[in-house]
Amino acid sequence: MSVAGTYECVTKTPMGDQKSDVTIVVDGDTFTGSNVGAMGSMDLENGKVDGNKLTWSMKMTVPMPMTLEGEATVDGDVLTGSVKAGAFGTFPMNGTRKG
């Protein structure tokens, strides 16, 4: 099963649970997409697909400019991973494929 799709995700951060829709558009062994939530929208950049493992980066602007690094594994319709926010640490991210 492809890792492509839209996932309803929750990232556990110091500012509380951040809910977002993560959309993954696969092109061979790379992908693009977006992470859209209450804090705005971020493009998924430098996306790499290795089997069911994903890695990417995204540029956050709110509440402060920072590049976030994401990694996740997709197992069926479940996405499990983390987002690294520089010196602030790494936060768990979990999601379920929509539709």
Side-chain angles (χ1 to χ4, degrees):
M1 172 181 275
S2 173
V3 296
T6 300
Y7 299 82
E8 235 174 65
C9 293
V10 175
T11 305
K12 302 209 173 283
T13 76
M15 297 173 13
D17 289 359
Q18 299 297 316
K19 293 183 179 179
S20 63
D21 282 351
V22 175
T23 301
I24 296 167
V25 180
V26 175
D27 180 12
D29 61 357
T30 64
F31 73 91
T32 56
S34 61
N35 183 338
V36 180
M39 303 289 274
S41 175
M42 294 180 282
D43 290 334
L44 305 184
E45 301 174 347
N46 307 310
K48 301 219 180 338
V49 180
D50 181 8
N52 66 341
K53 216 173 172 51
L54 306 171
T55 57
W56 71 93
S57 61
M58 48 194 172
K59 289 183 173 50
M60 179 175 81
T61 56
V62 177
M64 68 186 74
M66 177 184 306
T67 298
L68 305 177
E69 296 171 39
E71 64 176 42
T73 302
V74 176
D75 185 9
D77 290 332
V78 177
L79 180 146
T80 307
S82 62
V83 175
K84 183 174 185 215
F88 294 97
T90 301
F91 313 116
M93 173 179 175
N94 298 289
T96 306
R97 192 186 310 253
K98 295 170 77 169

